[in-house]
Amino acid sequence: IAPSTNASFTLAGTNFQSVPIVELISSTGAITRASAVTFNNATSLTVTTNLAAGSYFVRVENNDGGAVRSSSAILNVSAAPSWSTGAGSLGTIIAGATQSFTLLAYDDDSTAVSSYSLQSGSLPGGFTLDGDSSIGTISGTESGSSATTTYTFTIRATDNESQTTDREFTITVTHGASGG
């Protein structure tokens, strides 16, 4: 869930009773009681809370006093990736030219994200996305266009917690007096 905001998540388990107490326990031992708990059924609760970034154990206590705490920190509170590369045009290339463009997004701990993927649209002919590292690269030698064309596409940045943020970009391929 996102940090420092009222966020809800579904907690799956067994033998939940209406309406249990849910506590979130940080790695320092600090305990935060959920601000709202909705009993969906004996195997599902909707929990609302406002937490700082970090990993949390989850403790559920039923009204009959029966309680359980997760054996590991199962709740990760962190922000989705934030793009450093501005949306919009990555640049203009001349038909048939070789070019490379870089993409960069950061996780909430200021490390580069783990991967980039093409979600929609298309890259210019001859171009591919290498998105398996902290820096995404769109590169190639343009082929196949016969007129000035603007290619619009959406790239998804994914962090180590599988959180994603999409951003739309364009690359324009020109034809004419200077570029054939």
Side-chain angles (χ1 to χ4, degrees):
I1 61 173
S4 304
T5 185
N6 282 333
S8 296
F9 62 94
T10 300
L11 181 63
T14 58
N15 302 317
F16 294 141
Q17 295 176 355
S18 181
V19 169
I21 296 169
V22 176
E23 296 173 327
L24 301 308
I25 306 164
S26 75
S27 59
T28 64
I31 299 172
T32 302
R33 185 178 271 196
S35 58
V37 177
T38 301
F39 175 80
N40 300 323
N41 56 51
T43 61
S44 175
L45 303 172
T46 300
V47 179
T48 302
T49 189
N50 187 329
L51 298 167
S55 296
Y56 293 82
F57 291 85
V58 178
R59 182 180 181 278
V60 178
E61 182 178 336
N62 283 327
N63 294 326
D64 66 3
V68 66
R69 182 184 125 163
S70 61
S71 59
S72 62
I74 61 171
L75 179 63
N76 288 316
V77 180
S78 64
S82 173
W83 280 96
S84 177
T85 305
S89 177
L90 293 175
T92 300
I93 61 171
I94 297 170
T98 299
Q99 184 72 37
S100 180
F101 304 93
T102 58
L103 304 169
L104 188 57
Y106 290 97
D107 199 350
D108 61 339
D109 65 0
S110 297
T111 58
V113 299
S114 58
S115 68
Y116 301 86
S117 58
L118 179 66
Q119 291 303 298
S120 65
S122 60
L123 302 175
F127 278 74
T128 59
L129 169 65
D130 177 8
D132 294 332
S133 64
S134 60
I135 298 174
T137 305
I138 297 172
S139 60
T141 300
E142 192 282 328
S143 63
S145 68
S146 58
T148 297
T149 305
T150 298
Y151 295 84
T152 302
F153 49 92
T154 300
I155 302 291
R156 174 169 290 168
T158 304
D159 67 15
N160 290 329
E161 287 125 7
S162 298
Q163 297 175 107
T164 63
T165 303
D166 293 352
R167 180 155 280 184
E168 186 175 270
F169 300 100
T170 62
I171 296 173
T172 301
V173 176
T174 62
H175 287 255
S178 63

